[in-house]
Amino acid sequence: MYFAALLARTEDGWEASDTELDDVETLSDLADLAREASPEEDTVLVLIEQEDSWFGVVRVDGEEDPRIYVSDAAAAQRSAYGELLLTDELLGRDPGADDGTDLDALDLDGTEDGESGDEDEDDAAGASGDAVPHSPVGDSRILDDLGVDEKELRSLDADDALGAIAGALGASEVLETVR
């Protein structure tokens, strides 16, 4: 289960709307969805949480590039919605780098004939799992000017992070109306 909401800052305060991400395929699509929520080009936050395992914040200010924070990159990578946020740039990868296995570099030591290769498989799984950290990634200062500093953002637990963020913004009631 996931929950996603848009919080748009207006002259009258924050307005919230829940949103379905099923039709969103790229970060650009998500940014466009956020921009549609604020015709005045004010700040829009996309808040996403997945099963109390990770949360993400995408901040869109007018036509600027979206800013992203993800609380646990490895957990988010296992989610289609998390993969939207985990861009190559965010993960410090070269854009377009192939994450797939180079078949020419594989050491086929007979395990392909049914022999146990548990140790090699564990090493390979560990190597690919290390590519995405079990830690926060992105702009941890994304909400500094809105009352949630870097230290506070990094200390939030995924199970109550969106509520804490909304509380700091003074938007708890509007977020709860869409939850």
Side-chain angles (χ1 to χ4, degrees):
M1 288 291 297
Y2 79 96
F3 172 75
L6 296 173
L7 284 179
R9 185 163 57 176
T10 67
E11 292 176 3
D12 301 325
W14 292 94
E15 292 181 5
S17 58
D18 63 341
T19 186
E20 288 293 324
L21 300 179
D22 295 341
D23 295 331
V24 175
E25 296 180 7
T26 65
L27 180 59
S28 180
D29 292 344
L30 185 61
D32 289 344
L33 181 69
R35 287 183 185 105
E36 290 172 11
S38 178
E40 300 297 319
E41 296 189 6
D42 288 323
T43 299
V44 178
L45 301 175
V46 181
L47 304 175
I48 303 170
E49 68 180 4
Q50 178 114 27
E51 297 177 351
D52 299 335
S53 64
W54 67 274
F55 71 93
V57 178
V58 178
R59 180 176 177 160
V60 178
D61 293 302
E63 291 300 317
E64 292 181 26
D65 287 341
R67 296 166 53 195
I68 305 164
Y69 175 82
V70 176
S71 66
D72 183 336
Q77 184 182 33
R78 294 186 296 268
S79 158
Y81 304 113
E83 285 183 344
L84 285 173
L85 308 181
L86 297 174
T87 63
D88 287 338
E89 182 180 334
L90 191 71
L91 295 172
R93 297 181 190 160
D94 290 331
D98 185 11
D99 292 338
T101 302
D102 181 3
L103 295 178
D104 293 332
L106 286 179
D107 180 18
L108 300 177
D109 60 358
T111 57
E112 70 275 9
D113 293 329
E115 297 176 26
S116 175
D118 292 341
E119 293 171 10
D120 292 334
E121 289 173 16
D122 290 345
D123 290 344
S128 66
D130 290 342
V132 178
H134 281 281
S135 63
V137 294
D139 184 353
S140 57
R141 301 186 68 139
I142 192 170
L143 301 173
D144 274 2
D145 64 323
L146 299 175
V148 181
D149 66 23
E150 177 178 10
K151 183 178 178 183
E152 185 178 355
L153 185 63
R154 287 181 170 269
S155 70
L156 294 174
D157 289 327
D159 61 342
D160 64 349
L162 300 190
I165 291 169
L169 300 175
S172 294
E173 289 182 23
V174 294
L175 182 64
E176 285 305 313
T177 62
V178 298
R179 193 178 274 272

